[in-house]
Structures are given as C-alpha cells and as structure tokens.
C-alpha cells in the first residue's frame, strides 16, 4: 500500500513539473508579452520576468520595445525645380503599444518601411534642390510628421527621421561647381575693389599731410631709394628733385621741355649705355696722325667755304667764293 502511495506521489510531482515547464514563459526586460487565448486577445500586457500561461490554451507573443533603426532605400525623384535626384534616409521608431502592433497591423516593420518610402518621394517632389541640400532640418520634421500620422494607430511611435544622402547627376555637380567658382570670383573682386577704395582714401590723406610738410616727401623718397638698393638687382636709381617737379608745374610748356631735356642729357652723361666703349689708351682716331694734326679738309664732310660762311657775322650776307688772286667776289 505504501508503494502505491509513493508511486502516485511521484506521478503527481512529474505531472506538476511538466505543467510548470509547459506553462512557464520568460519575458525579457526590453520585451512585452501579449497573450491570445483560443485566438482571442487577453486584456493586459505581460511585463518582463517569469510569466505563466495555460498550456495548449494560451499563446504568448513577445514584442520588442527597443528603438529600431531602419534604413530607407534610396528613392529616385524629381524636385520642384525639375532636377533628378536620389535620396537616402534612415528612420528611428519604437513600439509603444504591443497589443496594437500585433492586432492592428500584420507586420508593423514592413508597414513603417513602405510608409517611409512613399513619404520620402512626396517630400522630394514638394521641395527644391536647395532645400534638399541646405534646409534638411525642416524636411526631416515634415517627413517625420508624414510617417507618424498613420503609424500612431499601429502602436508605433516615430522617434526621428534623417535624410542621409542626396545624390546628384554629374552634369548638375559640374554646373554647381562652376556656379560656386563664379560666386567666389565675384566676392574676391568685390573685396579687391573695396581694398583699392580704402587704399586710395589713405593715400589721399597722406598726400594732404605731405603737402603741408615738404620735407616728408623728401624722407619718403630716401626711404624708397633705400628699399630699392637693399635688393640685389641692377636697377639704376636716379633721384629726381621734387623742387624741379614744382618748377615744371609753374613753368611754361617751352621751359618745361627745356628742363626735361637738360635732365635727360645729365642722366645720359652719367650713365653710359652698356656695351659702349671709349678709345683704348695710346690709340688714335682714324683720320688723325700720332702728332695730333687736324684732320684734312673735307674729313668731316664740310668744305672750307662752308666753314668760312659759318664763321661769318650774322649781319653779313653770304657772298660769292673768293677769286683766285685773293680778292673777294662781287657783293
């Protein structure tokens, strides 16, 4: 009799163990459990931990409550300004109601993916190319609202949507590069013109100051000469007196031309041209002997008669050449 009771107890214990093993479920911290009893939703969501269900009657479905990162495939579209682009995006979402995510939509991941693709195409068609490239924050917010509106009924919350990449045709890239280069060239010219304007104003002020103190202009001339002489070059510096410039300003055109010719003659005499050499020591000029005799008549291309006429007084007229007996010709 005792053996029978022992065997019955063992059988009961085994049955309880089998029941517990069949009914026990473990729900992780980032999951929630939804129970269906005979295909009908049991109210209430099972939290994390050790959960029991009725074996062969209840079915426990676990739903992940973590934020899901889903890339949106690249979508080709035409912007509002008729530019063909390809846009890639990424979407972050999570399940906030496990029951609705299982009951109201067949596959919430696939549904969110398709909704993101259609919304991305709609955003591309409503936006300009400049907005896609520079105003992405506003487009991200609009895209998030478009996806979040229908997904609220699915128990899904859209956390964030980001436009990841905008691919342009090669021809459009070259056109944008030329536009950027032209814009930089325009700004460089504007800055250069502004600098020239400021420099001209400063030079005008300096000219007024130097006009009050003439010695300042002389010091500036000496500084320029020192700066030029500091470099190793073959530049010939000829200081030009400032007083001469003032004289030329007050002089008549004839006097100014005469003064300029005088300065040019002095410069040519002080700085002979390169390659021009004088007579060697001990050598004589052609047409003159070693005793220093004058060149014969006609050596310079003029006759004795022309020399006599040139030495004649200015008041006498040019007469006839002298006769053979030493007398003068008729007046």
């Amino acid at each position: 009799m005792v053996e029978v009771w022992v065997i019955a107890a063992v059988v009961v214990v085994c049955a309880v163990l089998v029941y517990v093993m069949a009914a026990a479920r473990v729900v992780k911290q980032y999951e929630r459990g939804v129970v269906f009893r005979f295909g009908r939703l049991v109210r209430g969501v099972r939290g994390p931990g050790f959960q029991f269900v009725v074996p062969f009657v209840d079915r426990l479905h676990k739903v992940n409550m973590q934020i899901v990162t889903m890339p949106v495939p690249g979508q080709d579209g035409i912007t509002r300004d008729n530019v063909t682009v390809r846009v890639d995006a990424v979407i972050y979402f999570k399940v906030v109601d496990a029951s609705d995510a299982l009951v109201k939509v067949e596959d919430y991941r696939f549904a969110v993916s398709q909704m993101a693709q259609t919304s991305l195409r709609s955003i591309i068609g409503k936006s300009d190319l400049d907005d896609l490239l520079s105003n992405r924050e506003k487009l991200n917010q609009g895209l998030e609202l478009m996806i979040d509106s229908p997904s609220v009924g699915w128990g899904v919350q859209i956390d964030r949507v980001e436009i990841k990449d905008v691919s342009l045709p090669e021809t459009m890239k070259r056109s944008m590069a030329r536009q950027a280069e032209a814009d930089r060239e325009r700004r460089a010219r504007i800055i250069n013109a502004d600098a020239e304007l400021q420099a001209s104003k400063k030079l005008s002020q300096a000219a007024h100051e130097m006009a009050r103190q003439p010695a300042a202009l002389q010091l500036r001339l000496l500084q320029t000469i020192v700066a030029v002489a500091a470099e190793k070059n073959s530049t010939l510096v000829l200081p030009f007196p400032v007083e001469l410039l003032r004289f030329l300003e007050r002089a008549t055109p004839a006097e100014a031309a005469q003064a300029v010719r005088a300065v040019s003659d002095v410069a040519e005499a002080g700085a002979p041209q390169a390659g021009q050499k004088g007579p060697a020591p001990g050598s004589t000029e052609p047409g003159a002997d070693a005793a220093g005799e004058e060149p014969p008549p006609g050596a310079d291309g003029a006759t004795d008669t022309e020399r006599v006429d040139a030495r004649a007084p200015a008041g006498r007229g040019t007469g006839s050449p002298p006769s053979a007996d030493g007398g003068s010709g008729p007046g």
Side-chain angles (χ1 to χ4, degrees):
M1 187 68 181
V2 177
E3 295 179 355
V4 174
W5 284 105
V6 171
I7 294 174
V10 171
V11 171
V12 171
V13 170
C14 292
V16 170
L17 291 176
V18 171
Y19 179 83
V20 170
M21 293 178 62
R25 297 288 187 275
V26 177
V27 180
K28 296 180 182 179
Q29 181 66 36
Y30 55 85
E31 294 177 338
R32 296 294 182 270
V34 179
V35 178
F36 289 91
R37 180 170 296 167
F38 293 111
R40 186 174 182 178
L41 177 66
V42 178
R43 292 185 176 276
V45 178
R46 304 294 179 89
F50 200 74
Q51 301 292 336
F52 287 95
V53 296
V54 179
F56 311 109
V57 176
D58 295 343
R59 288 186 177 275
L60 180 67
H61 294 270
K62 301 176 184 179
V63 179
N64 193 338
M65 307 295 289
Q66 292 176 317
I67 294 178
V68 180
T69 302
M70 178 181 295
V72 181
Q75 302 297 314
D76 295 325
I78 300 177
T79 61
R80 190 166 58 181
D81 50 355
N82 297 325
V83 179
T84 303
V85 295
R86 181 179 180 84
V87 181
D88 299 335
V90 59
I91 181 172
Y92 303 90
F93 67 94
K94 63 181 179 179
V95 177
V96 294
D97 192 340
S99 300
D100 292 342
L102 290 177
V103 175
K104 294 187 177 180
V105 63
E106 179 181 2
D107 187 352
Y108 66 89
R109 289 176 179 264
F110 182 75
V112 171
S113 176
Q114 294 300 315
M115 180 60 65
Q117 294 181 31
T118 55
S119 300
L120 183 59
R121 290 183 180 179
S122 178
I123 286 292
I124 293 173
K126 294 179 181 179
S127 305
D128 295 331
L129 180 61
D130 294 338
D131 294 336
L132 289 175
L133 296 177
S134 60
N135 196 12
R136 292 190 181 183
E137 291 295 333
K138 182 178 179 181
L139 297 180
N140 292 337
Q141 294 176 2
L143 189 59
E144 180 180 348
L145 291 175
M146 293 180 66
I147 302 175
D148 190 57
S149 298
S151 64
V152 171
W154 304 338
V156 178
Q157 178 183 353
I158 305 300
D159 188 69
R160 190 175 183 84
V161 180
E162 293 285 345
I163 294 177
K164 186 167 57 175
D165 185 25
V166 178
S167 301
L168 300 175
E170 292 298 329
T171 55
M172 181 58 63
K173 291 181 180 179
R174 290 194 294 268
S175 300
M176 294 176 66
R178 290 195 298 268
Q179 180 182 359
E181 184 178 359
D183 185 65
R184 287 193 296 268
E185 183 71 19
R186 178 183 62 84
R187 286 183 293 182
R189 291 184 178 181
I190 292 175
I191 293 173
N192 190 16
D194 191 14
E196 292 290 340
L197 177 61
Q198 295 178 6
S200 63
K201 292 180 180 179
K202 294 297 181 181
L203 288 175
S204 177
Q205 296 176 4
H208 287 299
E209 293 295 331
M210 289 183 179
R212 298 179 196 170
Q213 298 292 336
L217 192 58
Q218 295 287 347
L219 292 176
R220 182 57 183 162
L221 177 61
L222 295 177
Q223 290 178 358
T224 305
I225 295 174
V226 171
V228 173
E231 300 179 359
K232 296 181 179 179
N233 51 24
S234 58
T235 305
L236 178 63
V237 179
L238 181 62
F240 200 76
V242 181
E243 289 76 6
L244 182 58
L245 293 177
R246 296 198 181 106
F247 169 73
L248 294 178
E249 290 178 357
R250 295 191 297 267
T252 60
E255 294 176 349
Q258 183 179 1
V260 170
R261 284 197 299 271
V263 173
S264 300
D265 294 340
V266 172
E268 292 177 359
Q273 296 181 354
Q276 182 178 359
K277 299 179 180 179
S283 62
T284 58
E285 292 290 338
D289 54 1
E293 296 179 356
E294 294 183 358
D300 54 354
T303 61
D304 295 338
T305 305
E306 293 175 352
R307 293 193 185 96
V308 172
D309 293 338
R311 288 194 297 266
R316 294 177 58 185
T318 304
S320 60
S323 60
D325 55 358
S328 60

